[in-house]
Amino acid sequence: MRLSRYFLPILRDTPKEAEIVSHRLMLRAGMIRQQSAGIYSWLPLGLRVLNKISNVVREEQNRSGAIEILMPTVQSADLWRESGRYDAYGKEMLRIKDRHDREMLYGPTNEEMVTDIFRSYVKSYKDLPLNLYHIQWKFRDEVRPRFGVMRGREFLMKDAYSFDVDQESARHAYNRMFTAYLRTFARLGLKAIPMRADTGPIGGDLSHEFIVLASTGESEVFCHKDYLDFETPAVDTDFDSVEGLKGIVDKWTSLYAATEEMHDKPAYDAIPADKQLSARGIEVGHIFYFGTKYSEPMGATVQGPDGQNAPVHMGSYGIGPSRLVAALIEAGHDDAGIVWPDEIAPFDVAVLNLKAGDAATDGACEQLYASLLAKGYDALYDDTDARPGGKFATADLIGVPWQIIVGPKGLAEGKVEIKRRAGGERELVSLEAALDRFK
Ligand SMILES: Nc1ncnc2c1ncn2[C@@H]1O[C@H](COS(=O)(=O)NC(=O)[C@@H](N)CS)[C@@H](O)[C@H]1O
């Protein structure tokens, strides 16, 4: 992308309304624009990151055997009356009426809708297990939206829903998602610790929140420090192995870890002091097993091996891709701006032309830019006439992992500079070597 033709509304000064670093940096880096309380437009740079995060989430959902669908944002109130949640859900639900005065709502979650889809087609245990997921915008009229997209009113969620013939099989579905979550957050460069959690309006009696430790996190959490060194389930994990996944989940729930609501102080105090960790955390994922809570009232049943019809056992599994953009910045930034993990950075490499209009630097930059694009890199070419200092500041602010800096003096000696954003190390190399560096 040529910066001269892009739309990157960088803010020079720090917006005063932003209280946490991720909110400040997302506004300054031209990633989002607030349209009303808790509701944002995603501008080009922010959308690139949001889409890359969603793709990592999608890949790991698919790896676990979940199947992607897309359900609508606007839902019928009738569905929610069947489960009894229409009134119970409270003020967070945005209730709307259509032109025929039918009661609708902007979906805060999709348990009822996906159960309706399931019951319309699946009648036999032979069609189970099944896990359907989508990545769709939600609306929750939070009483106090804050911290930018960290706690928005309209936000993006991956929500998956599992259907099984009995509790034992549903537990394996839960373990599949648990394992997929460990892989997902690790790929995003985050250490997310699964913690026993409250089930709240979703319901059920088994739930874990996946918490990223961050000083600006909204949750107060307590856990055993050894979790920080646990290794992530491998890419070739066998998601069909009941015992294998049980082993992973047992290991990742073997030590103490709980959110404030579930904190068991005596159990925590029993941990050796040097292994106690109490911190603030950001909830990036939350998974639930809730049995027949929705299938029973909504008549989602299958015929079992014994020929009897019985309601299916379900679970739901949420991840917040829009919240993850903010969480990643909280976990990766410095005084110059954002430091993205390579996998989801908005661009892989930035080519900085320190003297746009100079034949030599223009030629070298065009050659570098064309070569990077040809090799499939997401390259950003700063071909603007901004001063070098401004170019360095922009590239550092938006957090592109690599910079190739081309200036007239260096070029006269046949050199360009490669800079690694994380850590800041720099290297003077020939133009050929720079072309070669990015395979
Ligand atoms: N107001 C919000 N702003 C941004 N992300 C949010 C917000 N509320 C929830 N999330 C994200 O969405 C994830 C799932 O939300 S949840 O309420 O815990 N779970 C559900 O809604 C279940 N239906 C899971 S399918 C959370 O872990 C969090 O990462």
Side-chain angles (χ1 to χ4, degrees):
M1 179 59 69
R2 293 173 192 275
L3 191 53
S4 61
R5 299 183 200 160
Y6 200 44
F7 176 55
L8 181 65
I10 300 282
L11 298 184
R12 280 283 153 259
D13 47 20
T14 299
K16 59 193 178 317
E17 76 275 14
E19 297 165 71
I20 60 172
V21 65
S22 57
H23 189 194
R24 280 197 294 277
L25 290 175
M26 290 182 78
L27 291 171
R28 280 195 51 215
M31 295 177 68
I32 54 171
R33 173 185 167 75
Q34 180 172 326
Q35 302 300 152
S36 43
I39 300 177
Y40 290 83
S41 291
W42 287 80
L43 305 178
L45 195 79
L47 185 60
R48 288 180 80 97
V49 176
L50 184 61
N51 287 338
K52 289 192 172 186
I53 289 171
S54 297
N55 282 334
V56 169
V57 170
R58 178 174 284 114
E59 283 170 11
E60 295 306 323
Q61 290 294 294
N62 295 344
R63 190 190 315 279
S64 78
I67 304 167
E68 188 170 10
I69 59 175
L70 181 63
M71 292 179 269
T73 53
V74 176
Q75 304 185 22
S76 153
D78 296 342
L79 263 188
W80 285 67
R81 286 200 175 91
E82 288 193 51
S83 69
R85 277 209 298 184
Y86 187 58
D87 299 318
Y89 209 88
K91 287 190 176 309
E92 278 195 358
M93 180 178 279
L94 182 64
R95 300 160 200 270
I96 36 189
K97 281 195 174 173
D98 70 10
R99 63 186 303 168
H100 303 294
D101 233 13
R102 281 187 290 242
E103 290 176 301
M104 315 288 285
L105 59 103
Y106 191 116
T109 185
N110 284 67
E111 278 80 3
E112 286 78 2
M113 186 174 281
V114 80
T115 303
D116 176 52
I117 293 173
F118 177 87
R119 70 181 174 187
S120 307
Y121 303 106
V122 184
K123 305 294 179 197
S124 164
Y125 76 99
K126 292 175 186 154
D127 299 320
L128 301 181
L130 179 64
N131 178 324
L132 300 174
Y133 79 94
H134 71 159
I135 301 177
Q136 179 57 289
W137 293 93
K138 303 289 189 291
F139 193 93
R140 292 182 185 175
D141 205 349
E142 301 274 354
V143 65
R144 202 169 150 236
R146 57 183 183 150
F147 298 166
V149 297
M150 190 75 85
R151 176 167 292 281
R153 290 199 296 166
E154 184 172 343
F155 60 95
L156 191 59
M157 187 197 293
K158 181 285 300 177
D159 35 321
Y161 302 89
S162 61
F163 305 87
D164 285 274
V165 71
D166 57 27
Q167 179 162 358
E168 190 186 351
S169 323
R171 183 61 212 246
H172 181 52
Y174 188 92
N175 292 349
R176 275 191 164 125
M177 286 282 98
F178 189 108
T179 304
Y181 277 41
L182 292 174
R183 286 193 43 76
T184 303
F185 300 124
R187 279 187 60 189
L188 295 174
L190 292 171
K191 277 218 176 287
I193 301 166
M195 301 198 177
R196 278 179 302 111
D198 187 18
T199 56
I202 303 293
D205 52 12
L206 170 63
S207 173
H208 284 89
E209 282 182 22
F210 287 74
I211 302 278
V212 169
L213 301 181
S215 57
T216 52
E218 288 189 302
S219 314
E220 177 76 46
V221 295
F222 306 85
C223 74
H224 194 295
K225 249 184 208 151
D226 284 0
Y227 276 122
L228 297 176
D229 305 323
F230 279 15
E231 88 275 355
T232 305
V235 65
D236 61 354
T237 296
D238 177 0
F239 280 88
D240 291 331
S241 163
V242 174
E243 284 316 306
L245 296 196
K246 185 177 180 309
I248 290 170
V249 176
D250 286 351
K251 176 170 174 48
W252 278 87
T253 52
S254 58
L255 303 172
Y256 188 86
T259 57
E260 208 168 355
E261 298 85 8
M262 305 295 277
H263 188 37
D264 171 355
K265 198 169 175 328
Y268 180 70
D269 291 345
I271 300 171
D274 65 327
K275 292 289 187 183
Q276 290 181 354
L277 179 60
S278 86
R280 304 207 64 81
I282 302 169
E283 178 205 317
V284 290
H286 196 162
I287 63 177
F288 306 76
Y289 163 72
F290 41 68
T292 59
K293 174 177 179 187
Y294 300 92
S295 54
E296 176 88 54
M298 296 183 70
T301 62
V302 294
Q303 191 172 63
D306 57 2
Q308 299 300 312
N309 275 329
V312 288
H313 284 249
M314 293 175 61
S316 70
Y317 316 86
I319 286 180
S322 52
R323 176 176 286 181
L324 273 164
V325 178
L328 280 162
I329 296 172
E330 293 296 328
H333 65 272
D334 60 19
D335 294 344
I338 303 167
V339 182
W340 296 113
D342 291 6
E343 175 132 14
I344 52 93
F347 292 98
D348 303 314
V349 54
V351 176
L352 307 186
N353 184 342
L354 300 189
K355 196 172 181 186
D358 171 273
T361 55
D362 287 358
C365 288
E366 289 295 341
Q367 196 183 350
L368 281 163
Y369 181 52
S371 162
L372 289 163
L373 292 184
K375 293 172 191 172
Y377 285 98
D378 276 334
L380 179 68
Y381 172 20
D382 188 342
D383 60 346
T384 66
D385 54 9
R387 291 180 311 97
K391 297 198 176 196
F392 297 139
T394 295
D396 286 346
L397 172 64
I398 66 175
V400 182
W402 292 97
Q403 297 170 20
I404 305 178
I405 299 159
V406 182
K409 281 200 296 298
L411 212 50
E413 295 156 18
K415 300 283 186 195
V416 297
E417 188 175 33
I418 294 183
K419 176 183 167 185
R420 179 73 164 135
R421 175 69 181 84
E425 57 273 10
R426 299 162 178 271
E427 197 186 346
L428 271 179
V429 298
S430 68
L431 183 55
E432 293 63 34
L435 286 165
D436 228 17
R437 178 66 61 83
F438 294 89
K439 288 283 171 251

